[in-house]
Amino acid sequence: MDGKIALEEHWAVDETLQIAGQPVRTGARWEELCRLLVEFHDQRLADMDANGIELAILGLNSPALQAILDPAEAADVARRANNTLATEVALNPGRFAGFAGLPM
């Protein structure tokens, strides 16, 4: 590894991929993008290794929480997303860090 740090690498949970406003929402390209955004281990780590990235600082996909108009729903999705991120970072703290998602 080259010790590179990737800043604000996108990731997602299923709920944030279903929010209106996503750029492309159909077809094989969208399905592949969704698969990669929710995957933390095999492909993401292999891609990091292939590109000399030691640490990825993850940021929730966009639009995500900011596109949820109901405050209670936004807080609920944020809580679930942040718990997912915390779990993944705890499983591999040498490779992942992350930004919390905040409901606006």
Side-chain angles (χ1 to χ4, degrees):
M1 256 174 284
D2 296 333
K4 295 177 188 172
I5 298 173
L7 181 62
E8 202 171 348
E9 293 296 298
H10 284 90
W11 72 281
V13 292
D14 290 332
E15 295 92 335
T16 61
L17 293 172
Q18 304 307 317
I19 296 169
Q22 299 297 338
V24 179
R25 296 178 60 117
T26 60
R29 183 172 166 89
W30 175 249
E31 290 175 17
E32 177 68 3
L33 178 60
C34 290
R35 184 186 71 74
L36 292 172
L37 284 169
V38 300
E39 197 276 327
F40 281 89
H41 302 285
D42 300 324
Q43 189 65 51
R44 187 179 296 262
L45 287 171
D47 289 345
M48 289 169 62
D49 290 344
N51 291 286
I53 297 170
E54 184 171 340
L55 177 69
I57 302 173
L58 304 169
L60 194 58
N61 67 303
S62 179
L65 303 173
Q66 67 270 32
I68 300 174
L69 301 180
D70 178 78
E73 180 185 359
D76 183 56
V77 173
R79 187 175 305 104
R80 286 185 276 141
N82 289 333
N83 287 343
T84 297
L85 180 60
T87 297
E88 296 299 336
V89 169
L91 289 172
N92 211 336
R95 301 301 304 273
F96 298 129
F99 295 110
L102 302 175
M104 304 305 281

